[in-house]
Amino acid sequence: MATIAPSILSADFGRLGDEVRAVTAAGADWIHVDVMDGHFVPPITIGPLVVEALRKATPLPLDVHLMVEEPGHLIPEFVKAGADRVTIHVEACRDVAGVLRQVRASGAKPGLALNPPTPLERVRQFLADADLLLVMTVNPGWGGQPIVDGWQEKIAAARRMRDDAGARCMIEVDGGIKPHNAGAALAAGAEVLVAGSAVFGSSDYAATIRALRA
Ligand code: DX5
Ligand code: ZN
């Protein structure tokens, strides 16, 4: 069964609590929270204060995706605010294994993300330390971008690499996922689908989440 994680990046930030309650009622499994620092990616989004507010708006796991350069010092604050999962970028840390272990020691589930141009080889050695492998299928920074070419092959290769390594991390796909390509993402081996504009840009969140699952 697919795990559906709506990304609040495309929600109405003026009514964020209502938006999160609405996708919770509409059948979402996790809430995906995109944190951007203005360095690793050009935009700035939100920090622990907003995660703390989201924590009160939903019982669902908060899947926090840190698009942040050297995020180590911020991790305790995000976990304290209520992050269940904290995913860091392999391109953003000098000591990837150390930061993954720091996430676990703080009490959250560590995830590792990689950008479309980054080869899977870069993450292989860290699979045992991660509970989630987030494969970006757009260049990070913005919602609503078209999915990159070759994305299905990368998901399939990530799934093979995970299975061959006997690792347990879930495979999450993030970027450009819509009802029309969700089935292909699952067939390629993804287990968690992040969808921002597809969900929050639709008029019926429950119908869109059902369509992503089907
Ligand atoms: C992009 C973010 C994504 C984004 C996906 O940097 O990591 O989570 O919200 O948006 P869509 O689903 O619209 O491509
Ligand atoms: Zn994301």
Side-chain angles (χ1 to χ4, degrees):
M1 176 91 153
T3 295
I4 308 295
S7 161
I8 61 162
L9 190 60
S10 294
D12 177 351
F13 271 66
R15 317 171 24 252
L16 197 50
D18 291 341
E19 291 273 69
V20 168
R21 280 184 284 272
V23 289
T24 301
D29 298 299
W30 300 353
I31 303 297
H32 185 83
V33 181
D34 287 307
V35 176
M36 304 186 188
D37 68 346
H39 292 278
F40 183 68
V41 288
I44 294 178
T45 55
I46 61 164
L49 274 177
V50 174
V51 171
E52 199 179 321
L54 295 171
R55 183 67 292 162
K56 296 177 186 136
T58 182
L60 296 180
L62 298 178
D63 177 33
V64 175
H65 176 190
L66 297 182
M67 284 158 275
V68 173
E69 204 64 53
E70 293 299 345
H73 65 290
L74 296 170
I75 283 163
E77 231 188 312
F78 275 103
V79 176
K80 187 160 167 267
D84 297 281
R85 295 176 175 272
V86 176
T87 295
I88 59 160
H89 268 265
V90 69
E91 304 88 355
C93 310
R94 274 182 303 270
D95 178 12
V96 174
V99 181
L100 291 170
R101 283 191 215 111
Q102 195 189 339
V103 172
R104 202 182 294 288
S106 311
K109 293 189 164 76
L112 187 59
L114 77 168
N115 286 338
T118 303
L120 280 165
E121 274 314 309
R122 286 275 301 274
V123 299
R124 185 191 295 273
Q125 62 179 304
F126 307 114
L127 291 182
D129 291 313
D131 289 2
L132 185 81
L133 178 62
L134 187 164
V135 181
M136 290 294 314
T137 45
V138 298
N139 285 305
W142 297 273
Q145 304 178 76
I147 202 159
V148 296
D149 289 341
W151 68 276
Q152 285 157 283
E153 289 76 6
K154 193 158 188 192
I155 298 292
R159 176 62 183 259
R160 271 197 307 277
M161 185 179 74
R162 193 273 314 260
D163 292 347
D164 291 351
R168 306 170 93 88
C169 55
M170 297 177 87
I171 308 286
E172 180 176 57
V173 55
D174 185 6
I177 295 297
K178 313 277 177 195
H180 75 82
N181 60 18
L186 297 172
E191 295 153 319
V192 185
L193 307 181
V194 175
S197 52
V199 171
F200 288 103
S202 73
S203 54
D204 184 341
Y205 297 169
T208 304
I209 290 169
R210 272 197 306 276
L212 287 164
R213 234 186 264 290

